[in-house]
Amino acid sequence: RKADLVMMTDILYHEKLTKEIPGR
Amino acid sequence: LMQDTMNKMCHKKRDALHLKNVFNQRSVSKNVSETFNYVSDFLKFVTEGYTLLFAMEMLDLPTLDTVPTMTSAEAEEALNYVSTCIVDTVWNDVTVHIPSSNLKEEDTYGFCNCKEDIEGAVMIECENVACTEGVWFHLECVGLTEETVPGEDEVWFCSAECRNSNKRSHSASHTIDRKFEYVKMLLWRGLSDMIRRNAVRQNDGPMITLYWKCDLPQFIKHNHTKYTILGHRLIAKFTGLNCFLPKRLRQDLIWNRTINLSGGRGTNIETDLV
């Protein structure tokens, strides 16, 4: 489903971002 | 941040401006504070659109309604693969690099290999603008004399690395696909906006705080002094050793950041928007 793709991309983006923030 | 995105997106005859006209989004204006909700929806629409177009391109689907012939396991794998690919492609490095040269003492002589200020010595400039060795060199230090120095029309490089990197940067500027770079920028900013929106809808306080943290470089870069100070103060209030707020106020700052007008899960909106 189209919505799944957008949601999945969103989740991966979030994960990648939070991984890169120092001092979490 | 959304205003910055709009400034970049709708600059001159960019795609976003074209999309706004094609989809008849007349209420969307470049001034975000006037039409916040419309801009927010438009940004979401554009981001979703480009994400789907990306997937169509990768899976070789001619139209949006084409159903790819694959089993559910394959579909799940494809979904993971496509999403990862999109994120990796549009990804921007979010960490800030401070060049070590900025940290040196100011009075260090920055030119030539010898790093010594020789009075009256004739110097020659390396043609590579990004030369890391010092850009200007004493003739003696690079084995030249006033007789053998290259003419004004001739180019001179201090090393083979500088010659090669100069060639690379020249050829790179011709091969950059500006359209693609624009779409990547758009998607990066769009997804960035989307995850922040999700955090607000869920009233995910720790995440909102975390996003403030990663927005700081953006605020500094775009000269948003007010938000830099606000963000910095907010983060300082409950992280690290400098955390100076009592527990109750800290809880309030983390969890009392949104308002739910209509009730139900995932329907929170920003307090300042209300």
Side-chain angles (χ1 to χ4, degrees):
Chain A
R1 281 174 60 229
K2 294 164 204 164
D4 288 342
L5 177 73
V6 177
M7 198 170 77
M8 190 71 187
T9 312
D10 207 30
I11 291 169
L12 289 175
Y13 182 94
H14 163 83
E15 280 176 359
K16 202 168 162 109
L17 184 72
T18 44
K19 241 185 249 167
E20 288 205 14
I21 304 167
R24 207 194 147 193
Chain B
L1 288 176
M2 209 183 274
Q3 184 64 64
D4 288 334
T5 308
M6 282 307 274
N7 291 348
K8 283 192 174 195
M9 260 170 72
C10 297
H11 185 62
K12 290 177 186 166
K13 287 177 183 168
R14 296 296 202 167
D15 283 13
L17 204 65
H18 184 60
L19 288 172
K20 177 171 125 57
N21 294 332
V22 170
F23 291 97
N24 209 12
Q25 300 278 316
R26 286 185 195 182
S27 313
V28 175
S29 89
K30 217 179 138 183
N31 189 346
V32 176
S33 61
E34 278 175 14
T35 54
F36 182 86
N37 288 337
Y38 290 113
V39 174
S40 173
D41 285 346
F42 178 62
L43 189 58
K44 186 165 175 270
F45 168 74
V46 171
T47 311
E48 288 178 350
Y50 274 122
T51 309
L52 294 174
L53 279 174
F54 208 118
M56 280 167 67
E57 179 78 25
M58 280 188 73
L59 299 174
D60 206 16
L61 304 173
T63 67
L64 203 53
D65 297 319
T66 316
V67 181
T69 46
M70 47 176 92
T71 62
S72 60
E74 282 173 342
E76 195 158 321
E77 205 176 303
L79 178 72
N80 276 322
Y81 174 70
V82 173
S83 322
T84 314
C85 220
I86 295 174
V87 175
D88 287 343
T89 309
V90 304
W91 194 251
N92 245 326
D93 196 5
V94 288
T95 47
V96 181
H97 302 283
I98 302 167
S100 58
S101 59
N102 287 2
L103 303 173
K104 284 182 193 161
E105 284 175 34
E106 275 182 19
D107 57 359
T108 311
Y109 189 70
F111 302 109
C112 195
N113 304 319
C114 64
K115 304 291 173 207
E116 274 174 45
D117 190 3
I118 306 169
E119 212 167 300
V122 183
M123 296 182 93
I124 184 168
E125 186 186 12
C126 175
E127 286 290 326
N128 179 17
V129 282
C131 174
T132 51
E133 295 302 315
V135 189
W136 286 90
F137 299 85
H138 301 117
L139 287 186
E140 263 184 37
C141 297
V142 289
L144 291 170
T145 60
E146 290 197 33
E147 284 78 43
T148 56
V149 74
E152 275 187 19
D153 302 336
E154 292 170 69
V155 288
W156 181 84
F157 294 99
C158 69
S159 62
E161 284 88 52
C162 272
R163 185 180 297 276
N164 290 335
S165 77
N166 201 54
K167 264 186 208 160
R168 271 200 303 276
S169 65
H170 264 287
S171 55
S173 67
H174 289 297
T175 52
I176 288 176
D177 183 348
R178 289 175 192 280
K179 206 93 177 171
F180 186 49
E181 294 300 316
Y182 172 78
V183 172
K184 270 162 52 179
M185 181 275 289
L186 234 170
L187 252 183
W188 194 80
R189 297 193 79 102
L191 285 171
S192 166
D193 177 71
M194 223 186 243
I195 56 170
R196 280 156 183 77
R197 187 200 317 249
N198 288 346
V200 170
R201 296 288 174 272
Q202 308 290 337
N203 189 30
D204 191 343
M207 271 307 142
I208 299 176
T209 321
L210 196 71
Y211 294 144
W212 268 94
K213 205 173 187 177
C214 36
D215 286 341
L216 279 179
Q218 291 283 327
F219 294 147
I220 295 168
K221 192 180 161 196
H222 292 105
N223 287 326
H224 299 311
T225 322
K226 185 178 123 188
Y227 292 105
T228 311
I229 295 168
L230 281 176
H232 191 259
R233 202 176 287 165
L234 180 78
I235 292 158
K237 273 175 185 166
F238 37 66
T239 53
L241 292 169
N242 299 326
C243 157
F244 53 77
L245 278 187
K247 201 179 169 196
R248 192 189 63 77
L249 286 177
R250 207 158 65 217
Q251 284 290 98
D252 191 64
L253 261 183
I254 297 177
W255 296 106
N256 198 14
R257 308 190 63 82
T258 63
I259 287 174
N260 195 332
L261 289 178
S262 53
R265 289 182 72 170
T267 53
N268 295 274
I269 47 176
E270 299 89 336
T271 312
D272 56 349
L273 186 63
V274 176

